[in-house]
Amino acid sequence: MGVKHAREYVDILRDLTEAVSAIPNNFTFFEMTKEEWEELSDEERAEAMETLADDVFYGLGRQPDIRVGDGAVIYAAKHHVIEVVQGGNVTQVVRLI
């Protein structure tokens, strides 16, 4: 199936990386502890968040929602967006077109 998009993937990935970076405890997606996360350098954390965004983007092509830390990322195909949800509220929207 895949996530349908018309924007450049690099732009979507940048926005999605920013969005997943704002989710509390996002590092648990990698089954890391807070202590392990804090041991990483800023550069390693940034790379991990880009990897997380990439994994989530492709994962949404197989299932419409993915748990990330204390939130979730949802592919709203009908609206051509990816939504980041925390505490039942949409906190960020990544446009796909």
Side-chain angles (χ1 to χ4, degrees):
M1 174 181 149
V3 174
K4 294 183 180 183
H5 59 92
R7 285 180 67 202
E8 292 292 327
Y9 179 70
V10 68
D11 295 330
I12 293 169
L13 183 62
R14 181 192 63 238
D15 292 350
L16 188 55
T17 298
E18 181 180 321
V20 297
S21 294
I23 299 173
N25 297 312
N26 51 24
F27 55 84
T28 61
F29 182 85
F30 298 114
E31 299 180 0
M32 295 178 76
T33 65
K34 184 173 182 150
E35 293 77 22
E36 291 169 325
W37 180 251
E38 290 174 347
E39 289 176 6
L40 297 178
S41 69
D42 289 343
E43 183 178 318
E44 290 170 321
R45 289 183 197 176
E47 288 175 14
M49 286 300 102
E50 186 171 316
T51 298
L52 172 57
D54 188 58
D55 289 352
V56 165
F57 182 84
Y58 285 101
L60 290 172
R62 286 178 254 138
Q63 63 187 60
D65 60 277
I66 297 175
R67 209 71 198 130
V68 175
D70 294 342
V73 181
I74 300 168
Y75 174 38
K78 182 178 176 182
H79 300 289
H80 309 286
V81 297
I82 295 173
E83 300 173 334
V84 176
V85 178
Q86 296 178 49
N89 297 312
V90 175
T91 58
Q92 294 195 38
V93 175
V94 176
R95 304 216 179 276
L96 300 171
I97 57 173

